[in-house]
Amino acid sequence: MAPHDLRRPFKRAAISDQQKRRELSLLRQAQNRRDAQQQARCLASSILSLQSQVPESEPEPQQSDIQLQTAPETQQEYGDLSKDLDVCRASKLRGPEVRKWFARQLMLPEWMIDVPDRLSQDWYVFARPAGKRCFVVSSNGTTVSRQRNGSILHHFPSALPAGAKTRDGSGSAQSYCILDCIFHELDQTYYVIDIVCWNGYSLYDCTAEFRFYWLNSKLEESGACNPPSYYHKFRFSAVSVYTCDQSGLYAAYTGVVPYVKDGLLFFNKHAHYESGNTPLVLVWKDENCSQYVIDTDSKGEIPSQQQVFRLNISCSVVFQFMVRHSPLKIDDLLASINSPDDQENKPTDIEMIG
């Protein structure tokens, strides 16, 4: 083959600015360190105190937790909303405003439409459980899980710190936990995909590398992974997280897991927990690892437009074309990892046993 015919199949034309935004996100989080402890305390109190504000019979909208980059003015508007609302003001929100507020508390992935630089060195990967995305908060002797629309999914006792009346009394005001979970209906288990706060200690401004280590060590020793009991109604389980080298990606893609897979999640090791959508967390799917390769409605049909947050027309057209006509293949990801540029300083796997 002539030299000019050599091509790297995983490389594609520059069709998105994801890499640029990844770099800007890392720079921004290094420059703008917020009062994470106050943020965590406000979120925990809000989730527990808004019980009377969101109708429990209101069905959760059919929406994906996958987001694309919003316009700068949109990000600023929602960023101010999520950071500045205290418990008192949040409790006065109604209807769409409640859903909007809760939607901005979770860290939401973007579709992977190009392969990140240094994939095998700077990224983790794991199989995402299918189910209901929610925050789980334990505080003052009770545990509450809330879906993205703000409605309560479950109100129950748990083995999480301050999660049941029988554990350490009712729990001090400083003792609370916030976990980012997916509730898997088939085995009635909360699969923990991230940790925001543990026993009053905020991890908002900690890297994903540290958060995953902390979650792996603390969740097991708390007893939350034990089978359900009278004072621990639902089992919690961490997912198996791998360094995104060839063996790790293959294990996440083909490995047997105790839940139904819904694609793969990629986390940048240096990413802080950032409310709203971020290019530092990516989701990738194909027909072999997800029943829903792209968003579907309640009837399983593909809608005319994917669920996005105030997305302009040009981005929507690119997104639709990429997902439906030219998606990244698993071979593209493996080829990227095997490239000479991605072979240096490969770290070892980190297992989160659930």
Side-chain angles (χ1 to χ4, degrees):
M1 181 180 293
H4 65 274
D5 290 332
L6 291 175
R7 293 180 175 86
R8 295 195 292 183
F10 56 88
K11 291 296 183 182
R12 60 171 73 223
I15 55 167
S16 80
D17 60 351
Q18 267 190 337
Q19 182 59 37
K20 180 179 179 181
R21 288 187 287 104
R22 281 191 283 267
E23 294 170 356
L24 290 175
S25 293
L26 289 171
L27 179 63
R28 183 173 60 250
Q29 73 181 21
Q31 294 175 339
N32 302 324
R33 297 186 66 85
R34 63 190 171 202
D35 184 358
Q37 192 72 32
Q38 179 60 28
Q39 170 82 359
R41 187 177 296 112
C42 173
L43 177 57
S45 299
S46 299
I47 290 178
L48 292 169
S49 64
L50 287 177
Q51 297 181 28
S52 62
Q53 304 303 327
V54 181
E56 299 309 312
S57 59
E58 180 181 355
E60 183 180 12
Q62 292 292 326
Q63 58 183 346
S64 170
D65 64 355
I66 302 163
Q67 301 290 345
L68 291 183
Q69 179 71 8
T70 59
E73 62 271 15
T74 304
Q75 279 195 314
Q76 182 66 37
E77 174 186 347
Y78 288 117
D80 293 343
L81 182 65
S82 75
K83 290 181 183 179
D84 296 342
L85 274 180
D86 57 23
V87 177
C88 220
R89 292 174 59 196
S91 66
K92 297 178 181 178
L93 296 176
R94 297 292 187 276
E97 292 300 317
V98 173
R99 291 192 294 272
K100 186 185 300 182
W101 189 81
F102 274 99
R104 296 302 297 177
Q105 305 312 307
L106 289 165
M107 183 163 65
L108 306 175
E110 294 185 6
W111 284 99
M112 180 188 285
I113 56 178
D114 58 20
V115 179
D117 292 344
R118 297 170 55 87
L119 183 62
S120 67
Q121 300 177 47
D122 290 345
W123 292 78
Y124 291 127
V125 61
F126 61 88
R128 182 173 71 165
K132 297 177 180 179
R133 183 84 180 274
C134 58
F135 265 135
V136 176
V137 176
S138 63
S139 181
N140 295 320
T142 190
T143 305
V144 175
S145 58
R146 282 191 179 272
Q147 302 178 76
R148 282 190 56 198
N149 68 347
S151 64
I152 293 178
L153 178 59
H154 297 124
H155 197 154
F156 59 102
S158 76
L160 297 172
K165 294 293 184 181
T166 58
R167 297 180 63 85
D168 301 324
S170 60
S172 69
Q174 301 301 317
S175 179
Y176 56 92
C177 293
I178 306 174
L179 303 179
D180 187 341
C181 300
I182 295 176
F183 182 69
H184 191 252
E185 293 276 0
L186 292 179
D187 59 3
Q188 295 286 289
T189 297
Y190 280 96
Y191 286 95
V192 187
I193 63 172
D194 211 334
I195 181 171
V196 178
C197 181
W198 185 265
N199 208 15
Y201 178 72
S202 171
L203 292 106
Y204 267 106
D205 286 335
C206 297
T207 64
E209 187 171 24
F210 179 80
R211 295 198 311 274
F212 288 165
Y213 163 77
W214 190 272
L215 172 60
N216 192 33
S217 61
K218 296 297 182 181
L219 192 66
E220 183 70 32
E221 69 182 37
S222 71
C225 298
N226 294 339
S229 63
Y230 183 78
Y231 294 107
H232 177 56
K233 187 173 182 181
F234 295 101
R235 178 176 175 266
F236 288 78
S237 178
V239 296
S240 293
V241 177
Y242 305 94
T243 295
C244 195
D245 54 17
Q246 187 175 24
S247 61
L249 178 59
Y250 189 78
Y253 182 65
T254 65
V256 177
V257 291
Y259 49 81
V260 177
K261 289 184 183 179
D262 185 22
L264 302 182
L265 276 176
F266 295 80
F267 274 69
N268 186 287
K269 294 180 178 180
H270 310 291
H272 296 175
Y273 196 97
E274 178 182 349
S275 300
N277 57 303
T278 171
L280 299 178
V281 181
L282 303 172
V283 65
W284 176 89
K285 300 181 182 184
D286 70 4
E287 63 276 3
N288 295 319
C289 67
S290 176
Q291 301 178 60
Y292 313 103
V293 180
I294 57 177
D295 291 350
T296 57
D297 58 22
S298 59
K299 298 180 181 179
E301 298 176 351
I302 299 173
S304 57
Q305 291 189 350
Q306 296 290 290
Q307 299 282 349
V308 293
F309 239 149
R310 290 194 180 183
L311 192 63
N312 62 49
I313 291 297
S314 60
C315 288
S316 181
V317 170
V318 171
F319 172 70
Q320 291 294 319
F321 180 84
M322 282 302 306
V323 171
R324 299 186 184 185
H325 301 287
S326 184
L328 285 168
K329 307 295 185 183
I330 188 64
D331 290 341
D332 297 328
L333 301 180
L334 290 170
S336 173
I337 291 172
N338 291 332
S339 70
D341 295 338
D342 212 79
Q343 290 295 316
E344 300 178 359
N345 302 320
K346 285 189 177 181
T348 56
D349 289 353
I350 291 181
E351 293 285 347
M352 293 173 61
I353 306 300

